[in-house]
Amino acid sequence: MALKFVESAKLPTQWAEFTIYGFEDDHTGKEHIALVLGDVADGQPVDMRMHSECLTGDAMFSMRCDCGPQLEAALKHIAEEGRGIVLYLRQEGRGIGLINKIKAYHLQDNGADTVEANEQLGFDADLREYDIAHVMLSHLQVNKIRLMTNNPRKVSALEEQGLDVVERLPWKHGENPHNSHYLSTKAGKLGHIL
């Protein structure tokens, strides 16, 4: 693993003033961040969202997915709790990248579901990797997590890295008429608990 911590700084948001930690992966060239609020290194379980980048959902407010609302809900929840972490991992389009995601959108516009679209482009349904989370959490001195997710694969991945996921917090946010098929595909083909 070539991931290393680079720098941290204050990041005021509409919900709270977080500390942003920047990490670089020398092997892939990708940059990942952790947004942290409060004392997370006290040995107590930490509420955490492990969020994969979704430019269309997070920044363009796309209603094709539930990514943006899930991220916003996580930041708001952490601010209300006064303590927590968002790991923002640069794995656009379940790991296929932005341009390929747009190609997948085109296939979806023509009837494919999100899994079929990735497969038609020659990719697995989900290429995301979560081993970088261990390095980031080790830097933050966190080992016990209450994970905000509907994806059991994330829970398993963290546990396989030796982290203690003491609770999975169901994370249903952002359902709308434009993403109902997308959400049912996530549940039916990717095992998400919705």
Side-chain angles (χ1 to χ4, degrees), residues 66-153:
D66 55 348
C67 303
Q70 286 188 337
L71 177 61
E72 184 174 340
L75 293 169
K76 184 178 178 186
H77 170 82
I78 290 168
E80 289 169 355
E81 294 293 315
R83 180 175 177 272
I85 301 170
V86 170
L87 297 185
Y88 195 85
L89 309 179
R90 305 292 300 280
Q91 304 187 105
E92 182 74 49
R94 287 198 203 100
I96 67 173
L98 181 59
I99 297 302
N100 283 321
K101 183 166 106 172
I102 295 169
K103 291 177 183 178
Y105 279 174
H106 175 76
L107 293 170
Q108 291 167 37
D109 289 345
N110 290 299
D113 66 34
T114 183
V115 170
E116 293 164 348
N118 277 20
E119 291 171 345
Q120 287 175 28
L121 291 171
F123 299 107
D124 287 339
D126 192 342
L127 295 173
R128 293 176 294 180
E129 297 179 2
Y130 301 112
D131 54 341
I132 53 179
H134 185 264
V135 176
M136 298 169 82
L137 292 171
S138 292
H139 179 81
L140 299 171
Q141 301 176 38
V142 171
N143 190 50
K144 295 179 183 174
I145 300 157
R146 298 175 69 230
L147 189 63
M148 303 174 223
T149 190
N150 301 319
N151 186 348
R153 185 172 170 240

Side-chain angles (χ1 to χ4, degrees), residues 150-167:
N150 301 319
N151 186 348
R153 185 172 170 240
K154 289 182 180 181
V155 174
S156 298
L158 292 175
E159 289 175 340
E160 287 169 10
Q161 295 173 44
L163 296 160
D164 184 5
V165 181
V166 300
E167 185 178 0

